[in-house]
Amino acid sequence: MAHPLELRAHALQCLLEPDPATKTAAIAMLAQAQLGGDWRVDHGAVFDVARPLPGRPERPQLVPPRLVGRRSMVTVEGRAMLVHSLAHIEFNAMNLALDALWRFPGLPDGYYTDWLRVAKEEAVHFSMLAAHLGVLGYGYGDFPAHDSLWEMVEKTKGDVLARMALVPRTLEARGLDAIPPLRAKIAQAGDMAAAAILDIILREEVGHVEIGNRWYRYLCGQRGLDPQAAYAALALRYEAPVLKGPFNIEARRRAGFTEAELIDFS
């Protein structure tokens, strides 16, 4: 009889995989096993990782954000640059969900299944955007990209509270604000297929940020911390970016930000 899949070890294997198509297929397989009940969590496992994280293809070339280039909607190439930047964000988001899943021991089973759900949905987002790049005549890796999201993942690898505070509910939550104007811009350019993909991403990203908010508050409760005061201290300690508006208040409310927190975004 086959042993049930251990989620943390398999998530690490997915994270180490450099080929995007193989990575997304492996995540889908793991998610399907979990849905079928063929899984377990080794809460105390310690992993020896000798290879660099995350596994990624040789391209795109990673450059500072200022060197990524302008994204004019006037040309197909400009639209492709925008779609490529979004695909790269989703590739990183898929990896950060896998990292949150394997890296941190001793949490309830629901934490691990929540982040597997996020990894699965981010993988679908990446695949949709990569496929649309193909329709536009380009592929993932054809344009340079930046790595700001993964840099914060690396900074917070030693503390799950900092990870929940500063990745899903800070950097990923910026997507809730950024997607609507990007969607309007790309729809105005006539690319309704890309606009439809962004509709799906926005809807599901609300759920991803909610997961980050929920586990952040769970961890604050375990440690006897006030969530707002703890967040301010973590943002300062880890040099989180200062958020600038406009903010998507309704999406942030659905994603679990409290009314007291939303005052800071109004």
Side-chain angles (χ1 to χ4, degrees):
M1 184 176 178
H3 295 290
L5 295 179
E6 200 286 303
L7 294 190
R8 294 180 62 215
H10 279 79
L12 177 57
Q13 291 178 16
C14 292
L15 183 60
L16 287 165
E17 172 56 52
D19 178 67
T22 305
K23 187 191 294 278
T24 56
I27 292 170
M29 180 276 294
L30 185 57
Q32 186 59 45
Q34 187 267 318
L35 286 174
D38 184 24
W39 64 281
R40 64 184 182 87
V41 174
D42 186 341
H43 298 85
V46 176
F47 300 95
D48 183 18
V49 184
R51 290 157 54 192
L53 293 175
R56 57 176 42 147
E58 292 184 2
R59 298 167 61 242
Q61 177 190 8
L62 298 179
V63 300
R66 69 181 186 280
L67 300 181
V68 170
R70 298 184 64 185
R71 300 163 193 146
S72 169
M73 296 296 99
V74 175
T75 65
V76 172
E77 182 182 31
R79 294 198 299 278
M81 287 177 68
L82 175 58
V83 172
H84 185 276
S85 71
L86 295 168
H88 184 67
I89 289 169
E90 298 301 318
F91 184 78
N92 268 335
M94 168 174 47
N95 283 329
L96 76 85
L98 293 169
D99 194 81
L101 204 170
W102 83 266
R103 184 175 294 279
F104 301 109
L107 290 156
D109 284 356
Y111 170 89
Y112 301 104
T113 56
D114 273 349
W115 285 107
L116 179 55
R117 170 195 151 191
V118 175
K120 175 188 175 184
E121 292 178 354
E122 302 289 20
V124 172
H125 298 170
F126 169 79
S127 297
M128 290 190 297
L129 290 164
H132 191 62
L133 266 178
V135 172
L136 296 174
Y138 296 88
Y140 180 59
D142 284 351
F143 302 102
H146 68 80
D147 212 29
S148 298
L149 183 57
W150 189 259
E151 288 170 3
M152 185 58 77
V153 172
E154 189 67 22
K155 280 185 180 182
T156 57
K157 65 184 180 182
D159 184 3
V160 64
L161 179 69
R163 174 67 61 84
M164 294 299 104
L166 301 177
V167 177
R169 71 189 308 269
T170 299
L171 297 185
E172 284 202 282
R174 289 299 287 145
L176 306 181
D177 310 320
I179 289 174
L182 288 177
R183 196 261 186 213
K185 184 184 295 186
I186 207 161
Q188 187 175 29
D191 193 339
M192 299 312 297
I197 294 171
L198 289 180
D199 287 338
I200 294 169
I201 292 174
L202 178 59
R203 182 172 66 249
E204 294 184 347
E205 291 295 344
V206 168
H208 301 173
V209 176
E210 188 277 330
I211 287 170
N213 266 320
R214 178 157 35 87
W215 288 108
Y216 173 71
R217 292 199 174 86
Y218 169 86
L219 292 161
C220 283
Q222 277 199 323
R223 300 186 191 187
L225 299 173
D226 174 74
Q228 281 188 267
Y231 178 81
L234 289 165
L236 182 64
R237 177 181 175 187
Y238 289 91
E239 300 178 319
V242 177
L243 302 182
K244 300 178 180 179
F247 299 104
N248 188 342
I249 297 298
E250 182 51 39
R252 284 175 174 269
R253 182 177 286 115
R254 295 200 310 274
F257 287 95
T258 66
E259 294 304 315
E261 288 171 327
L262 289 172
I263 291 173
D264 296 333
F265 300 115
S266 58

